[in-house]
Amino acid sequence: MRKHAFPPADLTTGVEALRANRTVSAAMSSMRRTARASSAQERGSDQDRKSVVRLKQTSLPAGAHSSKPQAWQSKGSVEDMDPSHTSDPALTFTGKCRLRCLYGAVRLLGFAVASHHPGLPVFSPATHCALSLEALPGARPPAAALRQLRAAARAAMRSHRVRRPARVKVMARFSPDCAVVLLEHLDTPVTRFLLSHPPLSRFFEPQKKEESNFTPEHAVLASVGIVKCSPDCGLQVSESMCLALEELIQACCEEDEGVPVVLVCGPKNTGKSTFNRYLINLLLNRLPVVEYMECDIGQTEFTPPGCVSLSSVTEPVLGPPFTHQQMPSKMVYYGQTSCEQDTERYLDVVKYVFSYYKKEVPLIINTMGWVKGEGLLLLIDLIRLLSPSHIVQMDMCDWKVMPPLTSEHIHFSPGLHTKGKQQSKCKQLGVGSMESWRCPEGEDVSAPQHKLLYVHPEFPRAGVAGEVRVHSSILRDMSILGYLGHLQSPDIGAVLPLHSLVPYQVPFNAVALRVIHTDVAPSNIMYAVNASWVGLCCIPEEIRCQSEGPVLLTQTPICDCLGFGIVRGVDMEKKLYHILTPVPPVNLRLVNCLLLGNIAIPNCVLVGQQGIEGEIPYVTSDYNYSIMGSGKLRKKKQHLKRRFECDYP
């Protein structure tokens, strides 16, 4: 019988732990009462946090059809509840809000929002490309139906408690081909937790104030939580991107040559993540679900960093990764943000995750921006392993970074661990885990046939890795904070600091332990584990330990990861780990392995601990820089100082 790592839900903590946290529980109850009172106040002020926007759609260009992805090329004008007219083609904004379409249909990052959709959370922080909202074309109704359409639009606004003055202004400019949307103030546990850290408190505000007159329109939008910005700040869709999306949508919907597997590759800062979100949203207009495989362990989309995962996406992706952290259908914790030191294990992990793809719905595969030198060779290995039907290569027009990855190039070029067609067989590795994915004798896996689609990004600073909006390490921290935000109560109220939450108690002998990225002496293993970010994993072997000491693995297993947690303390006397995690108890019962990688807890979590008097736990500045190797610490410390003093002005 397998020993469960975590106790059942009704036995979360021992008697002593409950006694020790009685004060915390009382404080939490008080906060919940405050939250309920705040919720009543929020409901009372909802009318002050709503904005009705009318978007007018002009005729489509010749040859365009509303059912095809070229719809984003249509032009229109935007009007809001203010009588003044604006000629902007779309509402481009930063901030966050909840979007409801009351009449007609609108498009946001490729997803078509109609009146039958529920309210959708929308996140447009200044760290990413601003989102744009524009009306979609519809069939022009007969003149006799105009009265019914006006009545339907008016009834929709009444059902959502839109005030009469706003209804009158919208209906005064109503036309059958317009769209009416309701923008509401949005507050989620994730954003509350994120904004509670001072360095990130202005995360959703524009980085630069635009020089424009503050109109009533801006005041209304600001009350909701968004700031209107120039259309130039929105997504720049190039012609090559339009053509690639059109072909991919057609291939995924028709499936004439089987279910498409789309691999997106290219250098850093070429828009791979934005392209993937746009493609996912376009597909969700036609399909109920899209599979997404994450192979970029440094910039993950649906999980914290350091993971290779396979996710089933059923909802539109309307924000950066930290806003939609979710549990994938299959996930392996690689434990590092770069695979350069162990490419063999990386390919093993990719093969393990890919084996769970059922080939029933289209699959989008994201890859790393490491495409130089051995990174390009590893990408060739990855293409041979996954055999995509379509490759979207994002690069500048001069092709200086990487050559066109045609079928012929993949067919004849050597990879990092495989050989091309001109060479006799796959590279013999002799020993190691690569034997599990190496091609069988006599099988030709070096000749994949795929359709290559070129996408040349045209946004400012495209392809310049050093000119990104925000450093990649900050984006990784944001994903971790977004994941930890699920520990917060859904009630509106004060943010609970992590050290005030009750952790799970895990016996040493109930879980195996492994440090992935380096060798640690057994006598120092607990120093490494304490105050660390760990993967909560499940290995098929039963954990057997005769003593009460920790169970240490000698090799890193390739196993399912069920979530993540923080080891907030180690009780050496009682032989217990204290772990804080948002993973539900039903999944925690399967956890029997803790994997410690090279992914660190964001510094703002440790530095910004509230209510701590004196020295902050786990934080010190007492470094001896004369010790060999401390130069890297000095550099990292200075970098962190700059990073967390930055307030995103």
Side-chain angles (χ1 to χ4, degrees):
M1 181 176 179
R2 174 179 292 177
K3 183 182 294 184
H4 297 311
F6 293 86
D10 55 346
L11 298 175
T12 301
T13 57
V15 176
E16 295 184 9
L18 286 175
R19 191 177 297 126
N21 288 279
R22 185 174 299 167
T23 304
V24 175
S25 300
M28 292 173 63
S29 300
S30 176
M31 289 181 180
R32 292 193 185 99
R33 289 193 296 269
T34 304
R36 285 193 291 269
S38 300
S39 299
Q41 295 177 0
E42 289 284 339
R43 287 191 296 269
S45 60
D46 277 348
Q47 294 293 343
D48 299 328
R49 292 190 169 191
K50 293 183 179 181
S51 175
V52 182
V53 179
R54 187 184 75 96
L55 303 175
K56 182 178 180 181
Q57 177 63 47
T58 61
S59 58
L60 282 170
H65 302 280
S66 61
S67 60
K68 290 183 179 259
Q70 295 102 321
W72 63 74
Q73 297 173 344
S74 59
K75 296 182 179 180
S77 62
V78 179
E79 297 178 26
D80 63 17
M81 55 189 296
D82 189 83
S84 60
H85 178 77
T86 174
S87 59
D88 294 339
L91 173 60
T92 305
F93 63 93
T94 59
K96 55 185 176 66
C97 66
R98 186 175 300 277
L99 167 68
R100 298 178 187 272
C101 186
L102 304 184
Y103 174 84
V106 293
R107 178 178 53 251
L108 185 65
L109 200 60
F111 187 73
V113 185
S115 56
H116 65 273
H117 287 106
L120 297 175
V122 177
F123 304 90
S124 181
T127 54
H128 293 70
C129 177
L131 297 181
S132 296
L133 188 66
E134 53 186 328
L136 281 174
R140 179 173 289 275
L146 178 59
R147 178 175 297 180
Q148 289 83 351
L149 295 177
R150 292 178 60 90
R154 189 181 293 108
M157 287 188 286
R158 284 174 175 167
S159 65
H160 287 87
R161 301 168 62 187
V162 177
R163 287 179 173 178
R164 185 177 179 278
R167 298 200 308 266
V168 171
K169 289 182 179 181
V170 171
M171 298 309 300
R173 296 169 290 154
F174 179 84
S175 62
D177 55 353
C178 76
V180 179
V181 297
L182 177 65
L183 306 179
E184 299 175 288
H185 179 77
L186 176 65
D187 189 21
T188 68
V190 171
T191 56
R192 288 201 307 271
F193 178 72
L194 189 94
L195 299 177
S196 67
H197 298 88
L200 307 173
S201 60
R202 298 171 59 188
F203 196 72
F204 286 98
E205 298 180 12
Q207 292 181 320
K208 293 183 179 180
K209 299 291 185 180
E210 297 189 9
E211 296 182 0
S212 60
N213 295 327
F214 193 78
T215 64
E217 171 192 359
H218 294 91
V220 171
L221 296 178
S223 68
V224 174
I226 64 176
V227 177
K228 185 177 180 180
C229 56
S230 170
D232 296 335
C233 299
L235 176 62
Q236 305 295 321
V237 181
S238 63
E239 181 179 359
S240 59
M241 180 175 174
C242 291
L243 296 176
L245 289 171
E246 179 182 1
E247 184 162 345
L248 292 174
I249 295 298
Q250 182 177 359
C252 292
C253 293
E254 296 179 357
E255 297 183 353
D256 292 336
E257 300 179 0
V259 179
V261 175
V262 182
L263 185 143
V264 181
C265 62
K268 298 178 181 179
N269 195 33
T270 52
K272 295 189 297 296
S273 298
T274 302
F275 180 89
N276 290 334
R277 296 180 198 124
Y278 209 111
L279 177 58
I280 289 173
N281 291 340
L282 286 174
L283 289 175
L284 289 178
N285 292 331
R286 310 285 193 89
L287 306 173
V289 61
V290 178
E291 293 286 322
Y292 180 88
M293 183 172 177
E294 184 62 81
C295 296
D296 185 355
I297 55 179
Q299 295 295 330
T300 51
E301 185 69 34
F302 296 104
T303 69
C307 299
V308 176
S309 62
L310 179 66
S311 302
S312 297
V313 186
T314 58
E315 300 293 334
V317 183
L318 303 177
F322 73 87
T323 64
H324 47 254
Q325 295 287 297
Q326 62 185 43
M327 182 61 194
S329 54
K330 185 63 60 173
M331 176 171 61
V332 174
Y333 184 44
Y334 183 81
Q336 300 185 74
T337 59
S338 172
C339 67
E340 187 173 357
Q341 301 300 323
D342 196 351
T343 55
E344 297 180 5
R345 184 166 65 90
Y346 173 76
L347 288 173
D348 278 335
V349 170
V350 169
K351 182 185 179 182
Y352 175 81
V353 174
F354 183 67
S355 65
Y356 287 87
Y357 171 55
K358 304 302 182 183
K359 300 181 180 180
E360 296 176 352
V361 296
L363 173 66
I364 301 173
I365 302 173
N366 186 40
T367 60
M368 298 179 291
W370 181 33
V371 294
K372 294 183 179 180
E374 291 186 349
L376 179 59
L377 301 181
L378 182 64
L379 178 59
I380 293 176
D381 288 338
L382 200 65
I383 293 173
R384 288 174 176 158
L385 176 62
L386 303 178
S387 298
S389 60
H390 297 75
I391 292 181
V392 178
Q393 183 172 350
M394 310 191 73
D395 202 352
M396 308 310 293
C397 297
D398 51 14
W399 302 104
K400 289 183 179 180
V401 178
M402 55 190 302
L405 298 179
T406 62
S407 296
E408 292 75 16
H409 183 85
I410 302 299
H411 186 64
F412 291 108
S413 300
L416 189 60
H417 298 289
T418 59
K419 295 185 178 180
K421 182 63 176 177
Q422 293 177 334
Q423 297 167 320
S424 58
K425 55 182 178 179
C426 292
K427 183 177 180 180
Q428 298 293 333
L429 298 173
V431 295
S433 57
M434 292 298 294
E435 293 290 341
S436 62
W437 75 273
R438 195 162 44 83
C439 63
E441 196 69 31
E443 182 180 345
D444 183 12
V445 298
S446 59
Q449 297 296 322
H450 60 263
K451 179 66 178 296
L452 180 61
L453 303 174
Y454 302 105
V455 173
H456 302 297
E458 297 180 359
F459 60 88
R461 305 182 304 275
V464 183
E467 295 292 332
V468 294
R469 291 171 180 255
V470 180
H471 196 275
S472 58
S473 61
I474 295 181
L475 297 179
R476 287 192 287 267
D477 286 351
M478 300 298 299
S479 295
I480 295 177
L481 292 174
Y483 185 86
L484 293 175
H486 293 287
L487 286 165
Q488 298 296 315
S489 170
D491 297 331
I492 298 177
V495 174
L496 300 177
L498 296 182
H499 59 266
S500 71
L501 303 178
V502 180
Y504 290 94
Q505 293 181 337
V506 186
F508 283 0
N509 59 2
V511 292
L513 185 63
R514 173 66 178 174
V515 179
I516 298 174
H517 59 289
T518 188
D519 294 328
V520 179
S523 59
N524 295 328
I525 194 71
M526 289 305 170
Y527 294 105
V529 173
N530 194 23
S532 293
W533 178 262
V534 293
L536 310 179
C537 303
C538 177
I539 58 178
E541 297 82 8
E542 182 179 356
I543 304 302
R544 297 179 180 179
C545 182
Q546 302 299 330
S547 64
E548 296 181 352
V551 183
L552 304 182
L553 298 178
T554 57
Q555 293 183 341
T556 302
I558 297 178
C559 57
D560 294 347
C561 180
L562 304 180
F564 298 90
I566 295 177
V567 181
R568 57 161 295 180
V570 178
D571 191 333
M572 296 301 296
E573 294 183 0
K574 298 181 180 180
K575 309 295 183 183
L576 294 173
Y577 302 109
H578 294 270
I579 299 180
L580 195 63
T581 176
V583 177
V586 64
N587 292 338
L588 291 178
R589 296 189 182 100
L590 303 175
V591 173
N592 61 359
C593 178
L594 303 180
L595 294 183
L596 171 62
N598 197 23
I599 309 297
I601 301 172
N603 286 269
C604 60
V605 173
L606 299 174
V607 175
Q609 299 182 55
Q610 302 176 5
I612 302 297
E613 297 181 0
E615 186 175 353
I616 301 176
Y618 308 115
V619 177
T620 180
S621 58
D622 186 16
Y623 291 115
N624 185 356
Y625 294 107
S626 63
I627 300 176
M628 183 179 299
S630 63
K632 186 175 182 180
L633 292 175
R634 180 190 294 271
K635 181 178 180 181
K636 182 178 181 181
K637 181 182 178 183
Q638 292 174 349
H639 167 68
L640 292 175
K641 183 178 180 181
R642 291 195 304 268
R643 181 173 69 177
F644 287 101
E645 283 181 353
C646 173
D647 206 14
Y648 299 104

